[in-house]
Amino acid sequence: QVQLVESGGGLVQAGGSLRLSCAASGRTFSTNAMGWFRQAPGKEREFVGAIHWSRGSTHYADFVKGRFTISRDNAKNTAYLQMNSLKPEDTAVYYCATARMWPVRDSAACDSWGQGTQVTVSS
């Protein structure tokens, strides 16, 4: 079991930036990738992007359009989601999750989830 804690969410004006963090602890040896997902009220949880833990390779959903960047700090067991040029439609609870498979493209492939952090973008 891996424990994940997201942080960094908050309220930001449209066009602003936020950096989310996902700190991992516990049995992380089987984790191949870290994914980011988001869920807005009344909507399905959707894939945002993912990073391969050892290689650092990344892939993203189309809606990112170059605005978001995922990175990781291996020494800190922490993944990051840098979000720039935020839009009101980015408002959602953002989650990180561990996965054994690569690439990560759906939540069914994920093993452990954090509690989520709220991101609200005002217009």
Side-chain angles (χ1 to χ4, degrees):
Q1 182 71 28
V2 179
Q3 291 78 50
L4 302 175
V5 179
E6 300 98 337
S7 62
L11 176 64
V12 64
Q13 295 278 354
S17 299
L18 285 173
R19 189 176 79 158
L20 308 184
S21 299
C22 174
S25 61
R27 299 179 65 195
T28 62
F29 64 90
S30 62
T31 299
N32 194 43
M34 191 76 73
W36 285 96
F37 297 80
R38 69 184 188 183
Q39 187 167 23
K43 294 186 177 181
E44 298 284 338
R45 187 169 298 187
E46 64 179 345
F47 174 74
V48 175
I51 186 166
H52 192 285
W53 196 251
S54 60
R55 301 195 199 102
S57 306
T58 56
H59 64 99
Y60 303 93
D62 290 341
F63 69 78
V64 170
K65 297 180 181 179
R67 298 181 298 127
F68 296 179
T69 302
I70 297 173
S71 61
R72 92 294 199 213
D73 187 330
N74 296 52
K76 296 180 179 179
N77 278 337
T78 301
Y80 303 95
L81 176 62
Q82 177 69 46
M83 303 186 292
N84 301 321
S85 301
L86 283 163
K87 306 173 181 179
E89 52 262 43
D90 294 319
T91 296
V93 177
Y94 284 72
Y95 300 88
C96 61
T98 61
R100 295 190 179 97
M101 297 177 60
W102 182 261
V104 181
R105 295 192 182 277
D106 61 80
S107 59
C110 298
D111 303 304
S112 300
W113 295 83
Q115 294 297 311
T117 185
Q118 177 71 49
V119 172
T120 303
V121 184
S122 62
S123 60

